[in-house]
Amino acid sequence: MNLVELYDIPDAVLPREPRLGGSCVAVPADRLASLARSGPAVLGLRPGLAGTDGFTASLLKELRALVHLPDGHSCLLVPVVPQTLAGQLGREKWATAHDVVPRPVAGAARPSGAGEPGGWSAADLTASSWPLAEGLLAELDVAAFCPGALLGVVPGTTVLTLSPRAAAAARTEEDSGPFGIRALLDADGPGTPRPSASDLMMLAHGVRALAESHPERLEDEVGARLALVRAHTAGRSWLTGPPYRRGRDLACVLPTTLSPAAVRELVQFLESRALVYGLADQDLPTALRVGLGRTCGDDDLVRLTGLLDVLLKEIR
């Protein structure tokens, strides 16, 4: 695949916001300077800043209300991506014994409790609108999601919720290091990792923005963005069909005519030049995923379409 040089790409098709993909990806540190409105490192606030505990308690209270979390459930903010947290849970005896290592959900079916009475349940709700479904988190013993796509903040923190019986089981685990669930539940434990004060501020901003814009409208907003992408990709020779959305995903799928190798080359080109992050989907090697959430504006969705046209030599 012969991609154009960076200087040959018209300014009119360069997205202003590089986090246009539907995947949960960390943005390289040297790119955060251009993400001043949402990049946590830009604020430069150190962990453990005076007053953080009270601020965190206030943030958790508002977050719990937003996702309808029952009072008896635990809610933790963990400064790692969901995949890392799932890896930790996979090493804890209580989690493997009850099969509650959260796995990504996809499709329209509502995640729910285990298939048999008394069974336990878990799900990774990242990149979906499922965390906002009333009553859902109450049904799950372990739930995790990266708030990046849902709240329009930089990925890097995971929201982890535990039912009372899951929290009790986690507390019986022998010491498994600072990222052990037992250590996280004991927030005052020495060496226990916490999100930085600036991470918390950005998360709080995203929680408040979504709460004040009426979360029930999110599905309509995502549907409108999908219609916009469909309108601006109609008739493209590099597509094998119209863009579509899987269930309550906060991204749409662009099925392309490209080979898996060509998709990897395209994604690497965009990410290595800090143009667009997160378009790849390991489950769909010949497709691209485009975020439909609050991370990017409508204009950037249109710009992305034009950028792909240029890179894939579509003459219009």
Side-chain angles (χ1 to χ4, degrees), residues 77-101:
L77 302 176
V78 191
V80 296
V81 294
Q83 297 93 321
T84 301
L85 188 60
Q88 172 62 39
L89 281 160
R91 292 189 291 272
E92 300 199 9
K93 294 179 181 178
W94 73 272
T96 55
H98 296 290
D99 192 23
V100 287
V101 177

Side-chain angles (χ1 to χ4, degrees), residues 31-308:
R31 180 59 175 150
L32 285 177
S34 66
L35 303 177
R37 66 179 179 275
S38 58
V42 176
L43 296 179
L45 299 179
R46 64 187 184 279
L49 190 68
T52 298
D53 289 347
F55 179 75
T56 303
S58 175
L59 168 58
L60 285 172
K61 181 178 180 180
E62 193 159 4
L63 176 61
R64 293 174 69 99
L66 181 67
V67 299
H68 312 285
L69 189 66
D71 290 340
H73 280 55
S74 300
C75 184
L76 307 173
L77 302 176
V78 191
V80 296
V81 294
Q83 297 93 321
T84 301
L85 188 60
Q88 172 62 39
L89 281 160
R91 292 189 291 272
E92 300 199 9
K93 294 179 181 178
W94 73 272
T96 55
H98 296 290
D99 192 23
V100 287
V101 177
R103 299 174 178 84
V105 300
R110 177 187 174 96
S112 61
E116 57 187 56
W120 291 41
S121 56
D124 177 356
L125 307 175
T126 294
S128 76
S129 61
W130 282 119
L132 299 179
E134 188 167 359
L136 176 58
L137 293 183
E139 301 171 15
L140 299 172
D141 288 288
V142 177
F145 66 93
C146 172
L150 185 65
L151 302 176
V153 297
V154 173
T157 296
T158 295
V159 177
L160 174 67
T161 66
L162 303 169
S163 69
R165 65 179 178 178
R171 291 187 184 278
T172 67
E173 186 80 9
E174 296 179 0
D175 182 31
S176 55
F179 272 104
I181 306 304
R182 177 180 177 179
L184 294 173
L185 286 166
D186 183 10
D188 295 327
T192 303
R194 300 186 185 185
S196 69
S198 47
D199 286 327
L200 295 173
M201 291 180 67
M202 292 300 99
L203 180 57
H205 175 78
V207 170
R208 178 58 58 88
L210 181 56
E212 292 182 347
S213 64
H214 305 289
E216 65 274 10
R217 296 179 185 170
L218 181 63
E219 286 296 305
D220 291 339
E221 293 173 1
V222 171
R225 285 173 180 260
L226 175 58
L228 178 68
V229 173
R230 282 176 173 165
H232 284 273
T233 54
R236 259 57 178 186
S237 63
W238 47 267
L239 284 180
T240 61
Y244 64 91
R245 182 187 180 202
R246 297 183 296 185
R248 291 172 62 119
D249 278 4
L250 294 176
C252 66
V253 176
L254 303 184
T256 76
T257 59
L258 306 175
S259 67
V263 170
R264 288 195 299 270
E265 184 179 353
L266 173 64
V267 170
Q268 183 178 15
F269 176 89
L270 292 167
E271 294 189 354
S272 65
R273 290 158 179 78
L275 295 176
V276 180
Y277 297 104
L279 291 181
D281 186 334
Q282 61 181 1
D283 296 328
L284 299 168
T286 62
L288 301 173
R289 280 172 57 86
V290 176
L292 300 174
R294 300 171 179 276
T295 302
C296 53
D298 290 354
D299 181 60
D300 269 350
L301 293 178
V302 176
R303 284 171 175 260
L304 176 61
T305 301
L307 175 59
L308 292 174

